[in-house]
Amino acid sequence: ECLADGHRYFRIGPDAEGNAFDARRSIRRLVAQLRAVRDALGDSIELMVDLHGRLAPEEAVWFCNEVEPLGMFLVEDPI
């Protein structure tokens, strides 16, 4: 639907469960979502993520390593 509407970018961020933010759990879910989008749409759309400064440096490095094969267009505010 996004591609049909002419969108070229897909942007997403981590979510919290209720009022609590568990960085590792949320980031694992985010990585899975990004992989699903890439698998479904291939390289026809650019992937972007805004982490809202919610990660510790080691978590940000881990996330970037996990999504590197996806060819991310942008990783915004990881720490």
Side-chain angles (χ1 to χ4, degrees), residues 50-72:
D50 186 349
L51 298 171
H52 305 288
R54 297 175 111 178
L55 303 183
E58 65 276 9
E59 293 165 334
V61 169
W62 177 80
F63 173 78
C64 289
N65 285 329
E66 288 294 306
V67 298
E68 185 175 7
L70 302 177
M72 298 295 297

Side-chain angles (χ1 to χ4, degrees), residues 10 12-37 49 51 54-55 62-63 66-67 70:
F10 178 81
I12 192 171
D15 59 346
E17 293 181 36
N19 292 328
F21 179 75
D22 180 335
R24 296 294 278 190
R25 188 175 181 155
S26 181
I27 293 304
R28 283 187 183 101
R29 205 169 34 251
L30 180 59
V31 169
Q33 291 169 331
L34 290 165
R35 283 183 181 138
V37 171
V49 65
L51 298 171
R54 297 175 111 178
L55 303 183
W62 177 80
F63 173 78
E66 288 294 306
V67 298
L70 302 177

Side-chain angles (χ1 to χ4, degrees), residues 5-16:
D5 289 342
H7 296 282
R8 295 180 17 227
Y9 302 91
F10 178 81
R11 183 173 178 250
I12 192 171
D15 59 346

